[in-house]
Structures are given as C-alpha cells and as structure tokens.
Amino acid sequence: MMNAARKAARGLIRDFGEVENLQVSLKGTSDFVSSADLKTERLLRQELEKARPGFGFLMEEGGEVIGSDTSHRWIIDPIDGTTNFLHGIPHFAISIGLERDGEIIAGLVYDPVHDELYHAEKGGGTFLNDRRLRVSARRKIEESIFATGIPFKGRDGHEDFLETVPKVMNASAGVRRFGSASLDMAYVAAGRYEGYWETGIKAWDIAAGIILVREAGGYVTDRAGGQDMLTKGSVVAANDQLHKTLLSLVKEK
Ligand code: IPD
Ligand code: CA
C-alpha cells in the first residue's frame, strides 16, 4: 500500500504544481484535474493488483471491480479533497482502505504535499510516517476542536446537517471544514482534532480513516451510534473521552 501510494503521489505532486500554474490561465483546471484523478487511480490499481492479484476494488472513479478473491477489497480515493486540489490548496490525500470480509483491516492516508503518511493495521497501532499516534487526551468539550464536511445544498441530509453545526459550535472551541474527509480522520488519529463528523459521505472517503482512528485509541460510529458507516454514509469519529458527547450532539433524529 505504501509503495503504491508513494509511487502515485509523485505524479500527483507534479500535477498539483501544474494546477498552481493553470490557476491564472483562462482555460481553467477542471479537465486537467479529472485526468489527474483518473491517472492516479489507474496507477494505484495497477500497483495493488501486482502486489495482491485477485483482490477486488471499490474506487471513486472506476466503481466496483469484483476480484477472484471475494474476501478482500481495496477501497480507494485517488484524490480526497478534489476541490482543494482544483483550487491549488495544498490539503488533499490519497486514501486506501483494505477490507476483509466486510471489516477494514488496514488503512493508509497519504498527504503528499506535507509528506505525511498515516497508516494502520488491525491490532498494530496507527503511525504517522514512523511515529506512533494516539488520539488526543482532551476531555473537556469546551476546549476541543472538531472537523466536519458540509453536504451540498439539495443533497441528502443538508438541512438536517445544518442543525448539528451550531450545536457543536456552541459546545466546543471551534469547528473546522478543511475539505478532505480522510485527512480529517487522520488528524483525529493524530490528536489534532478531538473529533469529526459528516453525513452524505462515501465509503472511499472514510474507509482508511476508520482504522486510523480506531488503532490510535479513538471510536468511530455512524450517526445513529451503529457500525454502518460505509453503507449509511455517516460518520462520527472522536477520541475515547468525547465520542459519546459528540455523538449526542449530532445524533440522527
Ligand atoms: C470530499 C471530501 C470532503 C467531504 C466530501 C467528500 P472528494 O471528497 O472528502 O471533505 O466533505 O463529502 O466528497 O470529492 O474531494 O474526493
Ligand atoms: Ca473523497
């Protein structure tokens, strides 16, 4: 996974440099970014297929590919934070989760601009590059910072979501919206945010992040408090001290 991500990141960084140049051109950047997205995904798939022939795939661009080994599946987002990438904002990541019989057993989130590679394997802890991570120890919600993402207007859950934001804002030290769900979860694992919640999210946005948070000692549920994050597209992740409190603020009605 690491080799695949590092290899794909080299092209991504070159393309990001190009986006920064294109910002000032009238041609715009959208087509260029879609092709960077596709190229990165293709390369990740190629490398992972070489390493583990037969595993299936679920990819943001390419959709589902059933493998000959039906127990294992890679869940891939080639650029999580596409809008940031498109605008030349250096906050995006490659996200790869590995699922075995429906359970995420390994995850990697790589922020190539800052060379921050977050990785976790079930039972083995979470690491940022070589450093072991632990969720933050803050217990007081009024001293805590939370990340979220905002579902587009007209999309499922937009109105409902807007009700949750003031609740968390009023209770906490701040809410952030940085635009990359996988990095939001990696930051929870690293103890930078105390928690993160979002609705209307896809499996490839959060698959890797789930195991990063868990292996760093945090909790992850859906917005009803259950374990159907990938199918329901809702997620509440936080340190062990504050998950219950965050969940109570943003719980599904
Ligand atoms: C998006 C980002 C964003 C989240 C959206 C996602 P994309 O993924 O993770 O933070 O709020 O829900 O769709 O489109 O940049 O790969
Ligand atoms: Ca994404």
Side-chain angles (χ1 to χ4, degrees):
M1 285 164 92
M2 288 190 203
N3 288 343
R6 286 202 187 276
K7 197 162 175 183
R10 286 200 281 275
L12 206 52
I13 285 288
R14 270 197 304 274
D15 289 343
F16 185 64
E18 194 55 35
V19 168
E20 288 176 313
N21 294 331
L22 286 173
Q23 286 304 339
V24 291
S25 86
L26 282 175
K27 267 171 68 192
T29 51
S30 292
D31 291 350
F32 180 80
V33 172
S34 331
S35 91
D37 231 335
L38 287 169
K39 212 167 54 187
T40 309
E41 189 173 281
R42 229 176 288 133
L43 204 143
L44 289 169
R45 180 175 171 187
Q46 228 172 46
E47 290 299 308
L48 294 168
E49 235 159 21
K50 241 191 279 167
R52 293 289 184 275
F55 283 18
F57 287 88
L58 177 66
M59 300 168 287
E60 176 166 26
E61 306 299 331
E64 170 117 52
V65 176
I66 310 282
S68 54
D69 173 344
T70 47
S71 290
H72 292 93
R73 182 167 80 151
W74 302 107
I75 305 182
I76 298 179
D77 193 342
I79 309 179
D80 181 46
T82 320
T83 309
N84 285 343
F85 190 93
L86 179 71
H87 286 255
I89 298 169
H91 190 78
F92 55 87
I94 291 171
S95 175
I96 310 172
L98 175 60
E99 197 182 52
R100 179 189 290 150
D101 299 323
E103 185 194 7
I104 308 291
I105 54 159
L108 169 154
V109 172
Y110 184 38
D111 167 352
V113 174
H114 302 101
D115 192 25
E116 290 194 330
L117 196 148
Y118 301 84
H119 53 104
E121 227 181 305
K122 196 179 171 196
T126 301
F127 293 81
L128 164 48
N129 298 331
D130 296 329
R131 182 165 61 88
R132 181 106 190 225
L133 294 181
R134 170 88 202 147
V135 289
S136 99
R138 283 201 181 81
R139 300 159 169 270
K140 293 189 179 158
I141 189 149
E142 62 275 19
E143 293 174 0
S144 299
I145 301 235
F146 297 92
T148 189
I150 305 166
F152 292 115
K153 197 164 180 343
R155 291 257 185 97
D156 264 8
H158 180 79
E159 300 303 325
D160 183 28
F161 173 80
L162 288 183
E163 289 177 22
T164 63
V165 181
K167 288 187 190 159
V168 181
M169 280 170 65
N170 291 335
S172 69
V175 172
R176 302 284 183 268
R177 198 277 188 258
F178 277 5
S180 166
S182 62
L183 283 176
D184 289 338
M185 295 186 84
Y187 281 24
V188 173
R192 293 173 180 170
Y193 298 136
E194 274 60 51
Y196 155 76
W197 85 103
E198 185 159 353
T199 51
I201 195 100
K202 302 289 188 201
W204 45 77
D205 299 316
I206 55 172
I210 291 171
I211 188 154
L212 293 183
V213 173
R214 288 208 171 128
E215 287 294 325
Y219 291 123
V220 186
T221 63
D222 59 39
R223 264 181 75 207
Q227 287 303 309
D228 298 321
M229 294 81 70
L230 299 190
T231 46
K232 279 191 170 171
S234 85
V235 61
V236 180
N239 74 15
D240 44 332
Q241 308 289 335
L242 289 165
H243 183 271
K244 233 179 168 172
T245 317
L246 178 62
L247 181 62
S248 70
L249 291 172
V250 304
K251 204 156 188 179
E252 219 167 73
K253 281 187 289 184

